[in-house]
């Protein structure tokens, strides 16, 4: 039992935290948001220079060789700064998929520019009809000539409008909710028949809806084995869920710190409001929610690293529930303890609240993961 | 970061498990599993079994007859005991007065009292709370006046758990009524056979009799039974409250009760199918299990820090709050899962495992246990007091 970090991990943490402290002030973030991509491409390049875009990739392809703990450290630091760059989309979900499942040619073509920041990817799975489900996919890929033709709709594709290429889940066989028959395809952002409609999200990030109307793909656009992608989709969504959990832990800890600082200095009735017990106790409950979310996220990291798929799924769901509930609790009470200032766009706390609440809309919400955990929970055999 | 137990820790867990399987008497584990009342003899019997194994005092250093275990080992032992439905060891001697005597007592006191705590020859109780001194403990009024080589003690203690069986009571008394309230308190060890002591059990809302009022009327206590210095008792009391709070989260007990809840929900039927298949009820169980898993990790994080020499301190307050909240909800759900059969009040059967009763077995104690466990957010420093501690010590408010 050892919760300490290695020297390498501590250095990585320092690097990311310093970057966030230097480059992610409130005003700086506002400027990044105004850019067409919704983030700062210079900063993205800086992340590449610092080696951050290679964190989950193996050293022989030029990466850092990090696992879930390293991901957690990066994402937690990003959460403290409400970082806008497409790290989850490009590196942790789509990028990791290529690194693990891509053909030799796909890896040779994409990993280097991915790590150097020139190539950005996004993962397109969610559809109007599948909420957070893993295997319900209506988008179809028809085999034609020497390739495939994709038709369907995707929504809420995180950073889908700034990605150069998209990894799209589509059905090559089976009915809409079959686990069998799911495949993964690489689609260029400029492909004929693809319409990408980008939009801002409520937390200041960006996402896109995709219309795929007979998008023609060559055979080598397929990632992994045809019809066998269900487990990979599940793993990728779990990686995304875990990443935003770690991000949320960072955002929750900042939201707690900001609120604590505020209730120490804000005076009413001649005294700091932090001297009032009703406020103290709420603040304590916020801290407990943070620690519980952190614990659950650490367990998910461990299970992603060395657990069975079943253990991984349970631990990720448990973390997403803790983070969903705890994040909302801290957001709502953070605003409440601030009073009016907590309602204003020009103050930083509410932006943490918005990100924390919106995280529940990504990679499965509390209800989704509670049900998933519930279905997997150990129960005595029925007599 | 590696959240796995080491091979040594794993082997230790196996050793504890094997010991429990061999030595834990079935009648005791069955009483614990089904929440029946334990007699004094039950508790003493188990402590003596542990004592013979050399495990009588998991939290003590070896020089006082303890195991010298690491914090992680202690946690493993506590968890395995809870999962095997072993009786809890009484905290009053082992976790409370024992460590105070070790830290502040004189050699004669250490020799006289410590071995008899481990061997269960002395049963200790706690003389802290008074009718007017609960969370505000320092406002206690029980007086001790010096008369030659004795103190004359007058006053009243209350909520004294299992005081009806006690041989000794460690007691906070006021020795200087003119000093500020924390400064005039002393820590006395009182023989419960001394004339002038009256013990009156208090019936609790569930019908149990585990706490008592203790009346002290001109009780003569030899001066040699003063621990440490006169008027320094508050320091020792605070030491006691901060000491040995590992296990405060009650992870093992919570796991055992979660397992029981699932068993009950599997047996009970709703709409012709097991209650555990009811999505709404099942989701509530899932939520509790998720909370408990996170608590287990939080507990291990604190333990690992203790293992590396950091004092558990105020973090233990978080564990107490969360651990008791989860446990209360477990008992709430066990009560709810038991359905209409939980209405019947059958105290004779709770006290006597041989007595007949209307079943099912789990419904017998479901409501009384739920009511009885409202206490856990009140005792040991109420959860509101724990929040005050965190607020002051961690948040700096």
């Amino acid at each position: 039992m050892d919760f300490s970090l290695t020297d390498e991990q501590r250095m990585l943490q320092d690097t990311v935290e310093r970057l966030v402290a230097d480059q992610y002030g409130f005003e700086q973030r506002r400027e990044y948001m105004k850019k067409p991509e919704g983030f700062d491409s210079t900063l993205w390049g800086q992340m590449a220079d610092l080696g951050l875009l290679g964190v989950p990739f193996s050293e022989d392809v030029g990466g850092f060789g990090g696992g879930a703990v390293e991901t957690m450290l990066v994402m937690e630091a990003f959460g403290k700064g409400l970082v806008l760059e497409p790290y989850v989309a490009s590196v942790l979900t789509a990028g990791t998929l290529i690194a693990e499942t891509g053909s030799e040619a796909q890896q040779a073509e994409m990993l280097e520019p991915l790590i150097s920041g020139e190539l950005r990817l996004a993962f397109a799975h969610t559809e109007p009809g599948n909420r957070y489900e893993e295997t319900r996919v209506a988008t179809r890929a028809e085999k034609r000539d020497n390739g495939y033709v994709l038709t369907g709709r995707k929504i809420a594709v995180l950073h889908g409008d700034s990605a150069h290429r998209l990894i799209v889940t589509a059905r090559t066989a089976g009915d809409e909710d079959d686990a069998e028959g799911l495949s993964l395809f690489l689609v260029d952002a400029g492909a004929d028949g693809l319409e990408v409609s980008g939009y801002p999200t409520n937390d200041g990030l960006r996402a896109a809806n995709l219309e795929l109307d007979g998008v023609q793909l060559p055979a080598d656009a397929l990632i992994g084995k045809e019809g066998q992608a269900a487990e990979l989709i599940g793993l990728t969504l779990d990686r995304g869920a875990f990443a935003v959990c770690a991000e949320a832990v960072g955002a929750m800890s900042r939201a707690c710190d900001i609120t604590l600082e505020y209730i120490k200095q804000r005076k009413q009735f001649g005294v700091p409001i932090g001297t009032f017990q009703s406020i103290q106790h709420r603040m304590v409950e916020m801290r407990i929610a943070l620690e519980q979310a952190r614990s659950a996220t650490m367990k998910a990291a461990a299970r992603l690293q060395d657990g069975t798929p079943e253990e991984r799924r349970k631990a990720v769901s448990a973390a997403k529930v803790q983070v969903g509930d705890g994040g909302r609790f801290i957001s709502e009470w953070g605003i409440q303890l601030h009073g009016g200032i907590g309602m204003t766009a020009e103050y930083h706390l509410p932006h943490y609240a918005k990100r924390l609440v919106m995280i529940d809309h990504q990679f499965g919400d509390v209800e989704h993961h509670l049900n998933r955990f519930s279905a997997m929970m150990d129960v005595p055999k029925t007599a | 970061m590696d959240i796995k137990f080491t091979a040594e820790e794993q082997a230790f867990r196996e050793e504890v498990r094997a010991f429990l399987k061999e030595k834990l008497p079935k009648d005791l584990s069955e009483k614990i599993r089904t929440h029946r009342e334990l007699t004094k003899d039950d508790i003493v019997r188990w402590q003596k079994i542990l004592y013979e194994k050399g495990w009588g005092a998991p939290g003590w250093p070896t020089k006082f007859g303890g195991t010298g275990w690491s914090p992680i080992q202690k946690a493993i032992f506590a968890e395995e005991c809870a999962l095997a439905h072993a009786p809890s060891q009484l905290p009053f001697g082992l976790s409370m007065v024992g460590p105070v005597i070790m830290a502040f007592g004189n050699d004669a006191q250490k020799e006289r009292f410590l071995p008899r705590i481990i061997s269960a020859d002395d049963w200790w109780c706690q003389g802290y709370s008074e009718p007017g001194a609960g969370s505000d403990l320092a406002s206690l009024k029980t007086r001790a006046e010096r008369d030659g080589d004795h103190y004359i003690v007058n006053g009243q203690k209350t909520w004294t758990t299992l005081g009806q069986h006690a041989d000794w009571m460690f007691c906070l008394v006021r020795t200087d009524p003119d000093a500020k309230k924390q400064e005039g308190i002393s820590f006395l060890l009182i023989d419960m056979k001394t004339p002038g002591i009256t013990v009156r059990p208090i019936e609790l809302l569930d019908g149990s009799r585990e706490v008592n009022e203790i009346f002290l009327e001109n009780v003569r206590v030899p001066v040699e039974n003063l621990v440490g210095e006169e008027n320094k008792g508050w320091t020792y009391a605070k030491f006691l409250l901060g000491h040995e709070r590992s296990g405060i989260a009650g992870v093992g007990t919570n796991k055992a009760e979660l397992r029981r809840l699932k068993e009950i929900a599997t047996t009970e039927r709703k709409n012709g199918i097991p209650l555990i298949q009811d999505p709404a009820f099942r989701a509530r169980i899932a939520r509790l299990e998720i909370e408990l898993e996170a608590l287990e990790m939080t507990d291990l994080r604190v333990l690992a820090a203790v293992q590396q020499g950091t004092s558990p301190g105020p973090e233990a307050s978080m564990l107490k709050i969360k651990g008791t909240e989860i446990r209360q909800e477990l008992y709430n759900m066990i009560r709810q899962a038991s359905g209409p059969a939980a209405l019947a009040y059958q105290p004779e059967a709770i006290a006597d495992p041989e007595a007949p009763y209307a079943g099912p077995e789990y419904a017998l104690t479901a409501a009384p246990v739920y009511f009885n466990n409202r206490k856990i957010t009140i005792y040991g420093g109420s959860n509101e007091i724990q929040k005050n501690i965190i607020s002051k010590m961690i948040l700096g408010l």
Side-chain angles (χ1 to χ4, degrees), chain A residues 14-141:
Chain A
D14 285 349
T15 304
V16 194
E17 285 190 343
R18 208 172 321 116
L19 179 78
V20 169
D22 292 347
Q23 308 270 28
Y24 253 94
F26 185 66
E27 288 306 323
Q28 287 167 305
R29 180 175 183 268
R30 280 190 149 185
E31 291 307 313
Y32 303 153
M33 271 168 67
K34 290 180 193 157
K35 314 235 168 183
E37 299 94 339
F39 60 89
D40 187 48
S41 43
T42 317
L43 192 56
W44 184 247
Q46 241 174 299
M47 288 178 180
D49 294 342
L50 289 167
L52 298 182
L53 305 190
V55 164
F57 305 121
S58 68
E59 287 161 64
D60 50 282
V61 299
F64 183 87
V69 173
E70 283 75 11
T71 301
M72 182 171 73
L73 298 175
V74 173
M75 289 309 302
E76 189 181 336
F78 281 178
K80 288 180 184 171
L82 295 177
V83 164
L84 301 163
E85 279 64 25
Y87 196 79
V88 176
S90 189
V91 178
L92 295 179
T93 53
T96 308
L97 239 176
I98 297 294
E100 279 178 3
T101 318
S103 64
E104 255 177 62
Q106 286 166 342
Q107 293 197 16
E109 187 192 343
M110 286 190 280
L111 288 182
E112 204 190 301
L114 196 66
I115 293 170
S116 70
E118 289 150 55
L119 173 70
R120 285 189 306 267
L121 302 174
F123 183 64
H125 171 69
T126 306
E127 300 185 354
N130 72 357
R131 276 181 84 85
Y132 305 112
E133 292 167 78
E134 292 167 39
T135 57
R136 184 178 299 276
V137 172
T139 299
R140 299 207 74 93

Side-chain angles (χ1 to χ4, degrees), chain A residues 2 281 285 291 295 325, chain B residues 2 262 287 298 301 387-388:
Chain A
D2 179 13
H281 285 194
E285 288 156 13
E291 293 310 324
S295 288
D325 284 343
Chain B
D2 181 4
K262 287 177 176 175
R287 199 176 276 269
T298 308
R301 284 166 57 201
K387 287 179 186 174
N388 289 351

Side-chain angles (χ1 to χ4, degrees), chain A residues 316-328:
Chain A
V316 167
S317 282
K320 199 68 172 55
V321 170
Q322 285 289 348
V323 158
D325 284 343
R328 185 169 74 98

Side-chain angles (χ1 to χ4, degrees), chain A residues 26-27 29-30 340-351 354:
Chain A
F26 185 66
E27 288 306 323
R29 180 175 183 268
R30 280 190 149 185
I341 190 75
M343 292 296 298
T344 59
E346 65 185 20
Y347 186 64
H348 52 356
L349 182 273
H351 296 272
K354 287 204 287 183

